[in-house]
Amino acid sequence: MAILGNIIKGVIHAKNLTATHFNAVNEQRTVLLELLSNAAHTEFGKHYNFEEIIASVDPEKDFRQKVPYFDYHQLTETWWHKVHEGKPDITWPGKPDYFALSSGTTGNTSKRIPVTDAMVKAIRNAGIQQVFALRNFDLPANFFEKEILMLGSSTDLDEHNSALEGEISGISASNIPFWFQDYYKPGKEIARIDNWDERVQRIAEKAPDWDVGALSGIPSWMELMLQKVIDYHGLNHIHEIWPNLQVYTSGGVAFGPYEKSFNALLGHPITIIDTYLASEGFIAFQQRPETDAMKLVMDNGIYFEFVPFRPDYINSDGSLAQAAPSLTISEVEMGQDYVLIISTVSGAWRYLIGDTIEFTNIEKAEIKITGRTKFFLNTVGSQLSVNKLNDAVQHLEEKFDIQIPEYTLCANRIENNFYHCWYLGTDRKIDEMELSNALDQFLKDANKNYRVARSKALEGVKVKTISTNIFHDWNAHNKKKGGQVKMERVMGEDKFEAWEDFVKTQMDR
């Protein structure tokens, strides 16, 4: 009998009985006032007169009128460069304990995002909220006695100006509370290994010693790790070595494109739970099984604003036009894409995180990520979000019975005509013209703006299929294997030219 598991499950369910009624509007106002109060005497708070905003009748309105939007580069040029130099009390009291390094999907140069002790605590608190939400998934008691394999970046952090720096998953793993250490795998020693291939090799070697019940990490790298364990031990699927694996907590990117290839590594279906942990904070998590939408964490150190996603609100460099209106959680509507803006306990203020979201349930503050502001494909008016592109790829998987875990594309000019040029990662040989036609037809049926563009300036679709490994090699070549690194779904023409040169080099080998 799973005695400990029953105790833990009982505590989780008891928490549900004592939970107060959720009121996102009140929670968000409280968070905003706490943020403003804590930062009132920083250089930033004095510059924008936070004390006056706190005292106003409508602090939300006053805040958005007085404080401009910032993206990473704008905030760094004006304020965070002082934080990087080790100066205190710039955008948050004191100095940050960590810097989260993030190249994400946007380039080779790492961003250095401040991570304060308050943010570390907020991330931990959000994680605890997610654990309590497991009561909704009807998991057996013995699940709560199994180990959790968290596949992130190395916890071997570097020191810079008396702060430690690394990717956010490594920072989070290095701050795992003592009571969780016995559950956490791969453990401190392996987690410190910086080399991705060496770390995964050690995981494969130790795999038989662990009773893994849950996995957590970015889907692309999780698949590679599972495949390594399977190959190393000559297995048919991962459940032959981890029979009690029941949950996968996905994050970083939409799970949809990976669903088919991920499930192929399993012996039976498991529960998939989506999370939204960015370098800037723990933003949302899936709290119930009847939807794959995620609940925004509204009471935990992040204040949210939502800008309607319209092309005229986005500058050519991907930043926000200062005239773009922002809405609070009380003002949003269903069926609308919004640019997500956050202010946090790490001293990010009205910060463009780069994602677009859509509300699926406003009362429960549940959202889906619909794309990236820089990856929105609007050349010649096609207006395709990453969410729409993911749907198209999943359609191809179903229609042709193939797996396409990775893809990228570009609106490319060829002989004065625009084409959407796709690269699909698959190990099956499928006629590329058939894929092009099916992809084109699906997008015409699913998106009226695309259909109009195809009748005018958009000439057509070109598809090339390549090995999925080339996508992984591209990430390793440009950034680093593992951790928070994700593949660009939509590229600009210059980046796409470099990508095509890289693909040619790989295929000529």
Side-chain angles (χ1 to χ4, degrees):
M1 182 177 179
I3 298 175
L4 178 59
N6 276 301
I7 293 173
I8 296 173
K9 187 173 182 178
V11 170
I12 289 174
H13 279 270
K15 173 71 174 178
N16 187 37
L17 298 176
T18 60
T20 57
H21 179 66
F22 174 66
N23 187 313
V25 175
N26 290 344
E27 289 182 355
Q28 279 286 273
R29 169 166 281 206
T30 298
V31 168
L32 176 60
L33 292 174
E34 288 176 349
L35 290 172
L36 294 170
S37 178
N38 283 325
H41 299 294
T42 63
E43 287 190 23
F44 192 95
K46 292 175 183 176
H47 183 83
Y48 291 107
N49 205 345
F50 278 7
E51 289 188 337
E52 185 176 296
I53 298 174
I54 294 168
S56 71
V57 176
D58 190 343
E60 292 93 341
K61 180 180 178 181
D62 214 27
F63 178 61
R64 59 191 173 195
Q65 287 180 340
K66 284 186 166 61
V67 182
Y69 298 122
F70 293 92
D71 62 15
Y72 173 79
H73 299 291
Q74 293 165 337
L75 195 54
T76 298
E77 287 175 5
T78 52
W79 298 99
W80 275 356
H81 72 277
K82 300 177 186 179
V83 182
H84 294 162
E85 293 164 4
K87 296 177 181 177
D89 305 323
I90 305 302
T91 62
W92 193 255
K95 295 190 288 187
D97 302 271
Y98 303 92
F99 288 99
L101 304 181
S102 171
S103 58
T105 52
T106 56
N108 300 334
T109 304
S110 285
K111 300 175 183 177
R112 298 182 68 247
I113 298 166
V115 179
T116 61
D117 183 58
M119 178 56 75
V120 171
K121 291 177 181 176
I123 291 172
R124 186 183 301 151
N125 289 340
I128 292 172
Q129 287 187 34
Q130 184 182 15
V131 169
F132 282 123
L134 291 175
R135 63 178 175 258
N136 300 323
F137 290 84
D138 195 29
L139 296 165
N142 68 352
F143 167 77
F144 298 97
E145 296 184 335
K146 305 306 176 185
E147 294 158 336
I148 301 176
L149 175 55
M150 300 169 62
L151 188 68
S153 55
S154 171
T155 58
D156 188 16
L157 308 176
D158 297 320
E159 187 170 346
H160 181 83
N161 282 341
S162 301
L164 297 174
E165 59 183 31
E167 291 186 4
I168 191 65
S169 57
I171 294 172
S172 299
S174 67
N175 282 277
I176 286 174
F178 73 92
W179 53 265
F180 186 63
Q181 296 292 341
D182 289 341
Y183 294 93
Y184 165 63
K185 298 301 175 197
K188 288 184 177 181
E189 181 183 344
I190 296 177
R192 286 180 59 85
I193 298 173
D194 187 55
N195 182 277
W196 161 262
D197 293 314
E198 182 182 344
R199 194 175 345 136
V200 170
Q201 175 66 27
R202 291 289 302 279
I203 289 173
E205 293 169 359
K206 294 288 291 183
D209 300 336
W210 303 333
D211 187 5
V212 174
L215 302 170
S216 177
I218 288 179
S220 55
W221 303 114
M222 185 62 68
E223 284 191 16
L224 286 180
M225 183 276 292
L226 293 177
Q227 190 64 60
K228 178 68 174 180
V229 174
I230 289 169
D231 292 344
Y232 185 81
H233 294 282
L235 309 174
N236 294 309
H237 53 74
I238 199 63
H239 277 110
E240 289 184 351
I241 200 165
W242 294 330
N244 294 307
L245 175 61
Q246 300 179 65
V247 171
Y248 169 45
T249 301
S250 176
V253 294
F255 180 68
Y258 301 93
E259 183 175 8
K260 191 167 186 178
S261 54
F262 183 86
N263 287 340
L265 302 174
L266 309 177
H268 55 76
I270 63 175
T271 299
I272 308 296
I273 300 176
D274 264 329
T275 62
Y276 187 1
L277 172 61
S279 299
E280 294 83 359
F282 199 149
I283 292 172
F285 61 84
Q286 183 183 345
Q287 67 169 350
R288 54 197 183 103
E290 55 267 35
T291 176
D292 57 0
M294 296 175 288
K295 174 186 176 294
L296 289 169
V297 184
M298 306 297 279
D299 61 348
N300 193 41
I302 301 178
Y303 177 70
F304 298 100
E305 296 174 80
F306 313 93
V307 175
F309 187 39
R310 289 175 34 181
D312 51 322
Y313 292 162
I314 309 296
N315 297 321
S316 59
D317 62 357
S319 63
L320 266 180
Q322 291 298 333
S326 73
L327 307 176
T328 66
I329 185 65
S330 66
E331 300 167 309
V332 296
E333 299 176 352
M334 301 277 283
Q336 164 74 55
D337 279 355
Y338 293 102
V339 178
L340 188 62
I341 305 297
I342 61 173
S343 301
T344 78
V345 289
S346 276
W349 295 102
R350 305 202 77 206
Y351 181 91
L352 173 66
I353 197 169
D355 292 322
T356 60
I357 60 99
E358 176 186 356
F359 280 89
T360 61
N361 187 314
I362 295 174
E363 184 180 0
K364 296 181 183 296
E366 290 180 337
I367 61 150
K368 286 187 177 182
I369 300 172
T370 56
R372 298 279 294 172
T373 53
K374 291 186 178 181
F375 295 167
F376 181 69
L377 192 61
N378 194 34
T379 305
V380 298
S382 51
Q383 294 193 25
L384 292 174
S385 68
V386 172
N387 203 35
K388 299 287 196 306
L389 302 177
N390 288 343
D391 289 345
V393 169
Q394 287 183 268
H395 169 72
L396 294 182
E397 288 185 317
E398 294 169 5
K399 181 178 178 63
F400 294 95
D401 191 24
I402 57 176
Q403 298 171 13
I404 310 174
E406 296 288 2
Y407 72 88
T408 193
L409 73 149
C410 174
N412 213 4
R413 190 190 298 270
I414 302 173
E415 297 178 354
N416 294 321
N417 293 314
F418 276 105
Y419 290 85
H420 283 180
C421 298
W422 291 68
Y423 279 81
L424 303 178
T426 180
D427 297 320
R428 286 271 305 279
K429 294 297 181 184
I430 303 291
D431 183 88
E432 292 175 344
M433 185 57 69
E434 287 187 43
L435 288 169
S436 297
N437 292 336
L439 188 60
D440 188 37
Q441 190 59 52
F442 177 84
L443 291 172
K444 284 179 182 177
D445 294 340
N447 187 293
K448 65 178 181 180
N449 293 306
Y450 177 86
R451 187 167 61 252
V452 171
R454 280 290 285 112
S455 68
K456 295 181 178 179
L458 183 60
E459 189 68 23
V461 172
K462 293 181 180 290
V463 168
K464 292 184 180 179
T465 58
I466 59 174
S467 169
T468 305
N469 289 332
I470 294 179
F471 290 86
H472 302 145
D473 292 340
W474 166 260
N475 282 333
H477 173 74
N478 283 280
K479 303 159 190 171
K480 190 176 182 180
K481 274 189 171 181
Q484 302 298 111
V485 174
K486 294 157 282 190
M487 183 66 201
E488 304 98 322
R489 293 310 190 199
V490 177
M491 294 184 181
E493 289 188 51
D494 291 343
K495 189 70 170 286
F496 195 71
E497 183 178 353
W499 158 257
E500 292 202 298
D501 289 342
F502 180 81
V503 171
K504 187 177 185 302
T505 301
Q506 296 299 106
M507 296 184 73
D508 287 344
R509 286 184 175 181

